[in-house]
Each structure stands twice: as C-alpha cells, then as structure tokens.
Amino acid sequence: DEFISSPPRKTVRFGGTLTEILLKYEKGDTTDFELLKHQLSDPDIKDAQIINWLHEFRASVAYLTKELEQLVNILLKLPWLRRSREVVEEYLGFLGNLVSAQTVHLRPCLRMIVSQFVPPRITIREDDVDISDSDDDDENISENFDTCHRALKTVARYVPSTPQFLMPILVEFFPFINKSERTLECYVHNLLRVTVYLPTLRLQILELIIERLLKLDVSTPQQDIEDAEETANSCASEEKSTEEGLFDMEEDEDRKGNKVVSPNIERMAHPLAERLDILMTILFSYIRDVCHVDGKLDISNTKDLYRDLVSVFDKLILPTHASCHVQYFMFYICSFKLGLAEAFLDHLWKKLQDPNNPSVIRQTAGSYIGSFLARAKFIPIVTVKACLDLLVNWLHKYIDNQDKGANAYCDVALHGPFYSTCQATFYTLIFRHKQLLDGNLRKGLSYLQSLNFERIVMCQLNPLKICIPSVVNLFAAITRKYQLVFCYTIIERNNRQFIPVVRSGTGGDLVQTCTNPLDSFFPFDPYILKRSKKIIDPMYQFWEELSAEDLENLKKPIKKGTSEDEDDDFLKGETPQNDGVVEIAPNSYESNTRSPVSSIGSPADCYVPYPL
C-alpha cells in the first residue's frame, strides 16, 4: 500500500533522452548538449538525478568516444563518492561499462580514482593567501577509501593493462612533503593497499614510497631533530614548571596503560620528522601484516616481500648518503627470521667483496655489515663469529695481495673497501666482545687471538689511521685489555704524522681537505622517531654508559695463564644486561668527535689513558 500510494520520483529533465541529445550533437545541434552539461555540473544535483543519468549513460557508452571527452570529464567530476549507496553502486557500474567499451577514457578514470586517495580538500585563506590543505572531518573517510579501491578493482578487472597506466598516475599524485601529515598518511596507506590486489605493482610502489621517505629523511638531519626536540622540551618545561615526572619511565608506562599519553610525548617537534615518523609506522605495519597470516609468520609471503625490499635497498638506500631512519625497513623484516638476517648479511658481503662494484658501494656495504652485526639483538653470537671469520679472512688476503705491491701505503682512495671492512670488524668487536668471551674466557680469547688482529693493525695500509677515532680508541682499549694487540704506539705515531689529505680538484688543482670518506655514519645508529621507534627498540642494542669501573677495567690487562676460577671471577658482575652485549659506551652527547656530528649513540671518542 505504501509503495502504491507513494508518488513517483521527480527529476527535472531537458532535451529528451540521452541518446537523442547525443545524436543531435553529432548533427551540430548543441543546445540540448549544453543543457545536459549544465545539469550534470550543478552542485545541487540530487541523488535521483545522478542515478537516472548514470543509468542512461551506461546504456549509451558506445557514443562516449574521444570526441565527447569533455562530457566524460564532467561525469568523472560528479560528487558520487559521498552520496547514497544507490548512487555509488550505479557509478561503479558506469565506470566498468565505460572503460570496457571506451578504453580511451582509462587514464581519466584512473586519475579520478587516485585523486580520492587523500581526504577532501578544504579551502582556507589567510591574508589573501590560499593555504588550503586536505582535512578528514568526514566520518566516512575510511568507507570512502574502501569504495575507491572497489572502483580501482572494477577498472582493473575490465582492463588487464590497468597497472601500466596506473603507476605514472600514482607517482604524479603523490602529495608534496609540505602537505599535512594526514594527507601523506592516507595516500601512502592507500598506495600500500593497492599492492594487495595489484601485486605486479608492489615493487614499483615500494620504490616510490621509499624514495619519498628518503627525501624526507636526508632533508631532516638527526641534529636538527634533536635541536627541535630540545627546544620543544625546554619550552614545555617553562610552561609547565609544576609538572613532575615528565621523563619518569614508570609514570609514562602508567599513562600508556591508561591510554592517556601526552601529545607532546608522542609528536615529533620537527614537522618533517613528524611526517617521516607517521609514514615509517605505516611501512612497518605493512611489512608485519604482509608477512604474518593469522598471527603466524608466512614464509612464502615473507620471502617474496624480502626480495622486493632488498631490490629497493640496492637501488635507493645503498647509494644514498646520510639517511638515518628509512633503512630500518630491512632491519625490521630481518628480525622475523634468522634466515632473513643471514641472507641480508650474505647479500651485503657479496657487495663488499665484488671488485666490480663501485668503491663507495663496497664501503657502504661494509658499514651496513658492521652496524647490523653490532645493533641487531636477534643475531646470535654464532652468526657474528661466522661473519667475523669472513671479514677477517678477507682482510688477511687483501694484505697478502697488497703488502708486496706498489700500492702498499695508507690511501683511503685506493683501499676504501679494506678500511671500511676494518672499521666494520672493529665496530663489531666493540659491541660483541663480551658475548664472544662469555662463559669460557680462555676459549673466547683463543678465538679472538686466532683472528690475528695484530697483523691487520700493523700492516703497511695502517687502518688505525683511517678508521674513525672513536672506534679506534675503544678497539685499542679492548684489545689491550685482552692482550690481543697493542695499538697505542701506532695511534701516537699516526697522531704525530697527521696531515690533511690532498685530493685533485676540478681543473687539476690540488685541494687540501681533512674529510675522511669513512667518517660518515653508522647506518643503524639509534632510531629517534618517537612512534615508530617503539617497533624497533625491543630488537635494538643501545650503547650503555662507560662507568668508572669499566674504564678502570679497560686499563688492566688480563694476565695470561688465568685459571678457570679467575675466569669466573672476571665474568662476575660484568655480564652485560642487554643480552650480553657490551656495556662500555661513553655518553655520545658529550663527544665532539662522534661520527656523524648528528648521530646519537655512536661510539664517542673514548679517552683511555695510554699506559706508561
């Protein structure tokens, strides 16, 4: 009864049916055609009108040729996404019909869909300047994104070549880094969703995202982030001088448990660091979700994603200098399974020892090996020993080949990979020496003595002169303590002989510089982005303060012929708290010689008095 008594839907129409209008237009009569465009462009167009027009257009897609591109563009601008479910379903049907009958309109359809991957734009003007940006006050924003992906799936189902046309559009629409955090977050999230149903695009999409993250990363040095945080903290403490326990970890934990976390604690003070933090959190979440099915690691999915990420790492990360955070996507995925970590180390090792690779790539690979072995808690000591064996054997073979040659002298330009490998080896020993000696001091010392560090240190190539002073000083202190090699004579001689490196500049002029290519960065220096660091911290080894007792112990050599009981006494009270990794870390905030200047937690230039 209700249906019979209800009046028919009223829609205002001009000019007859759509087919009649289009046929008139072909004959040169454009009056009704202009009226049609006007009706479709009306901002107050009703749902019923949209549904009726779309129904007619679906039946007339054969007429929508290249010549009617202007009309199609008007249809693609219809506000369909935030309409009733009936409008959405009719529009999705229209899109499917349009691209299957007229592939010439594929690109405009894809552009329309991708443009909806960010929250709707709001217009804001200040002093006649347009500062508009995207906002997502719309409660249905998540549902709208779901609908966009349905639309993209529909188009891809009808046109198999969709991926090759889609990728340039995804690149074109990627928001600038000065857009709001929410805009970037939504777009990156939607790009990663595309990889789920268009897997052929995954590698390209990951490259695109990581390339943009790298640009954010290298344009936001750690020193700038630290300075911004320090300024923000000092301002906050001035404004809230009565607030106590801001850095009380227990209180912070209580707040987190009650889900009352201060926004100042969660947000990064530096605006670009805040964007990078949000996007890295999304990338980590994506890696976790792809690799885990129902909470369990899926080996097949993980291997496939690992291969894609290694490819991106080789193409973008290895050649990029001074990135601080983005490379942690490899650190994270390798934490899922030891086999992945070993595969990554093997990959880096092949890069390092291959003479066909550029020297700078080989040196960077060496830095990654050392930093990864030192910082990754999930790498067991047996793997560390296997890597040290490889690195040290390669160093000895390199010395064998160079000692008698004409190039057997200290030159970082000639022997860059050698020095990088030395530094990786020293750096690993600094972090892992207590684990190597843990349990059985005599057996551990025997292993370290078998590495023959003395030959490496004493060779003509003089690695102690090139390696970063902070690493050299700690290595010298540790090797002296265990009577592996006495480095201080060489260090003092190097200090007396230090002269600036002379390089050939443009035009053949000699240019003096004191820069050292190895004095760059440790790739896995501490991660300082507040949100995403929560994912990294549990698997990450931090430096610990160098206590007075540790400093004193470094001055005391271990006597040869130590008994088993004395071995145990030595180990008592010195077992490292964090999975047995070295505790002897000076406060890098007070170091003027850490490398780079912006790195937190890298080994600082530790002063251990030379023995008399």
Side-chain angles (χ1 to χ4, degrees), residues 7-68:
R9 288 186 301 182
K10 293 182 179 180
T11 57
V12 180
R13 295 289 299 273
F14 300 100
T17 66
L18 177 63
T19 305
E20 292 171 353
I21 294 172
L22 296 179
L23 287 173
K24 285 181 182 179
Y25 178 74
E26 286 182 1
K27 295 177 181 178
D29 184 354
T30 61
T31 305
D32 291 343
F33 185 77
E34 293 300 324
L35 282 172
L36 169 64
K37 291 198 298 181
H38 180 74
Q39 288 182 59
L40 293 173
S41 303
D42 184 2
D44 298 322
I45 190 170
K46 303 294 188 292
D47 284 8
Q49 291 175 295
I50 293 177
I51 291 171
N52 284 343
W53 278 121
L54 289 176
H55 189 72
E56 288 195 50
F57 273 108
R58 288 182 68 178
S60 307
V61 288
Y63 294 99
L64 299 179
T65 58
K66 176 71 172 174
E67 288 70 27
L68 293 179

Side-chain angles (χ1 to χ4, degrees), residues 288-428:
R288 182 196 62 225
D289 292 345
V290 169
C291 295
H292 293 81
V293 178
D294 298 327
K296 294 182 179 179
L297 186 69
D298 185 291
I299 301 300
S300 178
N301 289 353
T302 304
K303 284 182 178 178
D304 290 342
L305 181 60
Y306 170 82
R307 291 187 191 101
D308 284 346
L309 291 178
V310 165
S311 176
V312 177
F313 176 84
D314 285 348
K315 183 175 180 179
L316 298 177
I317 303 294
L318 266 183
T320 302
H321 176 69
S323 61
C324 301
H325 301 97
V326 179
Q327 58 265 28
Y328 270 88
F329 67 80
M330 287 305 306
F331 193 96
Y332 183 54
I333 194 171
C334 287
S335 70
F336 294 162
K337 192 171 179 63
L338 177 58
L340 296 176
E342 291 176 342
F344 184 50
L345 286 166
D346 182 61
H347 180 76
L348 292 169
W349 166 242
K350 288 174 180 174
K351 292 276 184 190
L352 172 62
Q353 66 171 344
D354 185 358
N356 295 317
N357 284 327
S359 180
V360 65
I361 295 297
R362 297 175 68 190
Q363 290 176 222
T364 306
S367 297
Y368 270 94
I369 291 173
S371 196
F372 192 57
L373 288 173
R375 297 293 193 174
K377 280 186 177 181
F378 49 82
I379 296 180
I381 197 64
V382 64
T383 303
V384 174
K385 289 176 74 173
C387 291
L388 279 177
D389 288 340
L390 279 175
L391 294 171
V392 170
N393 286 337
W394 185 84
L395 290 173
H396 285 302
K397 287 180 182 177
Y398 194 94
I399 294 170
D400 289 339
N401 294 332
Q402 295 294 331
D403 258 356
K404 297 177 182 178
N407 294 327
Y409 55 90
C410 184
D411 188 331
V412 70
L414 281 176
H415 308 294
F418 171 81
Y419 295 121
S420 179
T421 306
C422 287
Q423 185 159 281
T425 304
F426 300 162
Y427 192 66
T428 303

Side-chain angles (χ1 to χ4, degrees), residues 518-588:
L518 292 185
D519 190 18
S520 53
F521 73 116
F522 296 102
F524 295 116
D525 263 354
Y527 193 97
I528 62 172
L529 302 177
K530 293 180 181 178
R531 291 181 186 84
S532 45
K533 81 189 294 287
K534 295 173 186 174
I535 300 169
I536 297 299
D537 281 0
M539 61 193 72
Y540 186 82
Q541 177 54 49
F542 291 91
W543 280 95
E544 296 196 10
E545 291 293 336
L546 183 63
S547 67
E549 182 182 356
D550 286 328
L551 186 59
E552 195 63 32
N553 283 335
L554 283 180
K555 300 177 192 175
K556 299 176 182 177
I558 295 297
K559 295 180 181 178
K560 292 185 178 179
T562 310
S563 69
E564 289 293 334
D565 291 339
E566 287 173 331
D567 289 0
D568 294 337
D569 291 338
F570 169 73
L571 292 168
K572 281 180 183 177
E574 293 194 15
T575 304
Q577 298 173 2
N578 291 332
D579 296 348
V581 184
V582 64
E583 309 159 296
I584 54 159
N587 187 343
S588 59

Side-chain angles (χ1 to χ4, degrees), residues 370 373-375 384 388 422-436 448 453 467-479 482 484 522 541-544 546 554 576 580-586 601-604 606:
L373 288 173
R375 297 293 193 174
V384 174
L388 279 177
C422 287
Q423 185 159 281
T425 304
F426 300 162
Y427 192 66
T428 303
L429 182 72
I430 291 167
F431 268 92
R432 296 283 195 162
H433 76 280
K434 285 198 173 180
Q435 277 184 309
L436 289 166
L448 291 179
F453 284 120
C467 293
I468 298 173
S470 53
V471 174
V472 169
N473 285 338
L474 279 172
F475 174 76
I478 292 167
T479 52
Y482 297 107
L484 299 172
F522 296 102
Q541 177 54 49
F542 291 91
W543 280 95
E544 296 196 10
L546 183 63
L554 283 180
V581 184
V582 64
E583 309 159 296
I584 54 159
S602 292
C606 167

Side-chain angles (χ1 to χ4, degrees), residues 37-198:
K37 291 198 298 181
H38 180 74
Q39 288 182 59
L40 293 173
S41 303
D42 184 2
D44 298 322
I45 190 170
K46 303 294 188 292
D47 284 8
Q49 291 175 295
I50 293 177
I51 291 171
N52 284 343
W53 278 121
L54 289 176
H55 189 72
E56 288 195 50
F57 273 108
R58 288 182 68 178
S60 307
V61 288
Y63 294 99
L64 299 179
T65 58
K66 176 71 172 174
E67 288 70 27
L68 293 179
E69 185 178 11
Q70 188 181 17
L71 178 61
V72 172
N73 286 337
I74 292 173
L75 287 169
L76 294 178
K77 290 177 182 177
L78 278 173
W80 65 280
L81 200 55
R82 293 161 187 86
R83 297 279 180 157
S84 65
R85 190 172 66 85
E86 291 78 10
V87 172
V88 169
E89 296 302 325
E90 191 68 33
Y91 198 87
L92 291 176
F94 163 71
L95 280 180
N97 288 10
L98 178 64
V99 296
S100 59
Q102 303 286 350
T103 53
V104 69
H105 299 304
L106 176 62
R107 279 194 183 92
C109 288
L110 294 176
R111 292 173 64 87
M112 180 274 296
I113 296 170
V114 173
S115 69
Q116 304 291 341
F117 278 3
V118 294
R121 186 177 178 83
I122 57 171
T123 303
I124 306 172
R125 296 189 71 84
E126 284 188 6
D127 300 327
D128 294 327
V129 177
D130 184 4
I131 59 169
S132 302
D133 202 349
S134 296
D135 188 51
D136 61 335
D137 288 337
D138 187 353
E139 295 178 357
N140 299 319
I141 187 74
S142 181
E143 185 180 336
N144 291 340
F145 288 152
D146 291 342
T147 306
C148 286
H149 289 287
R150 279 187 62 200
L152 195 50
K153 289 178 188 176
T154 300
V155 172
R157 187 167 65 248
Y158 285 110
V159 186
S161 60
T162 293
Q164 71 186 73
F165 292 97
L166 176 62
M167 196 60 220
I169 294 169
L170 296 178
V171 174
E172 177 188 348
F173 276 83
F174 203 105
F176 294 110
I177 59 174
N178 60 347
K179 291 293 182 182
S180 69
E181 296 97 337
R182 184 61 174 158
T183 299
L184 288 161
E185 178 184 12
C186 289
Y187 193 80
V188 169
H189 187 271
N190 283 317
L191 283 190
L192 291 172
R193 283 186 66 177
V194 171
T195 67
V196 176
Y197 55 85
L198 293 178

